[in-house]
Amino acid sequence: MNYRKLRNIEVSSIGYGCMGFSHGYGEIPSEEEAIRLMRLAYDKGCTFFDTAEVYGDGHNERLVGKAIEPFREHIILASKLFIDSEAVGDSFESLEAHIRAHLDASLEKLRTDYLDIYYQHRVNDDIPVEDVARVMGKLIVEGKIRGWGQSQPIAEQIRRAHEITPLTAVQSEYSMMERQFEQDVIPTCKELNIGFVPFSPLASGFLSGKYSNEDQYQGDDVRRVITRFNKENVNKNQPLIDLIQKYADEQQATPAQISLAWMLYKEPFIVPIPGMRKENRVDENLGAADVKLTDEAYLALEHELSKIQIYGNRTDKDIAKLQDME
């Protein structure tokens, strides 16, 4: 495994997105299997584990806490909180109390007394990012967190917060199918020495090339509402899968590994966190760290990607629809 830095925190170049062990992709593995897979990933060199208080309504933090407890001091642990503007009110004191209460609850579930990175899970326009940054700065001084970050911010929000308390990382969706943050967010992170942590780096698995227009999704599965998985869009996006497969064949790799290697090539501060709910996925995704694109191959791939139109996307608004579906 290779290692990178999110500002001043060293992590494995491929992290572990743990959400899928609790919800989001249909039937979940057993607790025993989830713990086994996370510990297997650690044995293979993965030192970066990501969760959030809302994943499974606390289930994911409890599960991750149990899995990483034997080696907690040797890994980087990140979690996220939603800040409820109605619950916070208008005062800085109430915001601070709100964040502290959420952090304490997460620490208890995660069986630890500190987090390495604590993200604001979506930036709330009703609450000044400067105030959130001030609270995070206090928590860093106290040792309750080592660093902090934002999820899905725009560049202006990053800059405003960073002036108060420097951010460690920004976590946002990024993949070959979702590249909007290349315009200004990733360049801003580069300028300010902030790590960039892509979630859904394989476009919810689409880039693995394992899906067809015949696949059916049931229950708590976000692919029911992510439009790139619509039957029509699956067909329209086939040229992308064909292109990735071509490079995978040339590199003796898998499409998922090429998708991750493409991302790792771009910047040394980019650290994707794919989900891995099966042992072969752990081997495959962590193995992407060893797939090296040459300059020539990368530039050729970028040129081909620029000619491909992407159909469908993944939005918070669409995912919210899942709550109302049977």
Side-chain angles (χ1 to χ4, degrees):
M1 177 59 68
N2 303 309
Y3 296 86
R4 300 181 161 211
K5 282 195 174 181
L6 303 174
R7 196 166 187 82
N8 60 346
I9 296 179
E10 187 175 79
V11 297
S12 52
S13 56
I14 304 285
Y16 208 133
C18 300
M19 184 191 79
F21 286 130
S22 298
H23 82 106
Y25 291 96
E27 184 178 358
I28 62 174
S30 68
E31 178 176 301
E32 293 74 17
E33 177 65 359
I35 290 173
R36 185 186 76 84
L37 290 175
M38 283 185 271
R39 291 179 177 175
L40 175 66
Y42 172 73
D43 290 341
K44 292 178 176 290
C46 181
T47 62
F48 187 27
F49 293 79
D50 181 89
T51 182
E53 62 178 12
V54 298
Y55 296 164
D57 193 24
H59 172 269
N60 202 245
E61 285 187 326
R62 286 189 289 270
L63 181 65
V64 172
K66 184 180 293 187
I68 59 93
E69 189 174 24
F71 45 81
R72 167 65 187 101
E73 300 302 316
H74 302 292
I75 59 105
I76 301 303
L77 180 61
S79 193
K80 303 179 267 307
L81 85 151
F82 273 110
I83 300 177
D84 185 344
S85 57
E86 293 184 4
V88 166
D90 298 325
S91 73
F92 176 81
E93 290 74 19
S94 62
L95 172 64
E96 180 175 354
H98 183 81
I99 293 175
R100 287 183 179 276
H102 280 252
L103 175 58
D104 287 343
S106 289
L107 293 176
E108 181 177 358
K109 289 192 285 284
L110 288 163
R111 305 185 182 197
T112 186
D113 57 3
Y114 72 98
L115 285 177
D116 296 284
I117 305 174
Y118 198 34
Y119 295 101
Q120 183 180 2
H121 203 166
R122 305 297 188 269
V123 178
N124 190 325
D125 290 332
D126 297 330
I127 299 169
V129 294
E130 293 85 353
D131 287 349
V132 176
R134 289 187 182 95
V135 176
M136 295 297 187
K138 285 187 173 185
L139 297 173
I140 290 171
V141 170
E142 295 170 14
K144 298 192 75 169
I145 63 175
R146 292 180 59 199
W148 82 289
Q150 297 170 322
S151 180
Q152 296 282 83
I154 61 175
E156 181 258 346
Q157 292 167 329
I158 295 171
R159 292 184 181 279
R160 285 167 49 203
H162 189 77
E163 284 187 8
I164 305 301
T165 303
L167 279 81
T168 302
V170 165
Q171 183 180 134
S172 297
E173 183 185 6
Y174 181 54
S175 71
M176 288 182 179
M177 301 189 81
E178 186 55 76
R179 301 180 63 173
Q180 62 174 319
F181 294 114
E182 290 181 347
Q183 301 301 314
D184 53 8
V185 168
I186 293 177
T188 297
C189 289
K190 183 174 184 177
E191 175 191 342
L192 300 177
N193 188 26
I194 299 169
F196 187 77
V197 178
F199 71 79
S200 293
L202 298 177
S204 300
F206 193 97
L207 296 175
S208 70
K210 303 292 185 182
Y211 297 96
S212 75
N213 60 11
E214 300 300 321
D215 289 313
Q216 301 288 327
Y217 308 104
Q218 305 294 329
D220 177 33
D221 194 321
V222 295
R223 290 168 292 193
R224 297 175 68 189
V225 292
I226 295 177
T227 56
R228 67 175 64 108
F229 286 94
N230 292 352
K231 289 182 181 295
E232 181 180 352
N233 288 338
V234 170
N235 291 333
K236 288 182 177 180
N237 286 317
Q238 188 60 41
L240 174 62
I241 300 302
D242 293 341
L243 174 64
I244 300 170
Q245 185 65 60
K246 170 190 169 185
Y247 279 84
D249 292 342
E250 292 175 356
Q251 294 277 343
Q252 296 185 322
T254 69
Q257 289 175 331
I258 293 297
S259 300
L260 293 171
W262 165 86
M263 186 176 293
L264 293 172
Y265 180 99
K266 284 183 168 290
E267 297 289 356
F269 57 85
I270 293 179
V271 180
I273 50 169
M276 298 172 268
R277 301 195 304 163
K278 296 181 180 179
E279 184 169 339
N280 64 333
R281 288 287 182 262
V282 173
D283 292 335
E284 180 180 15
N285 290 344
L286 296 186
D290 296 321
V291 177
K292 307 298 183 184
L293 295 177
T294 65
D295 294 346
E296 181 181 12
Y298 169 79
L299 291 173
L301 177 55
E302 279 286 79
H303 178 69
E304 293 299 320
L305 287 171
S306 71
K307 298 186 290 185
I308 293 177
Q309 182 175 346
I310 302 299
Y311 296 88
N313 58 12
R314 174 199 182 282
T315 69
D316 289 346
K317 184 177 181 180
D318 282 341
I319 290 175
K321 298 175 184 176
L322 193 62
Q323 300 176 0
D324 300 322
M325 298 174 68
E326 294 184 357

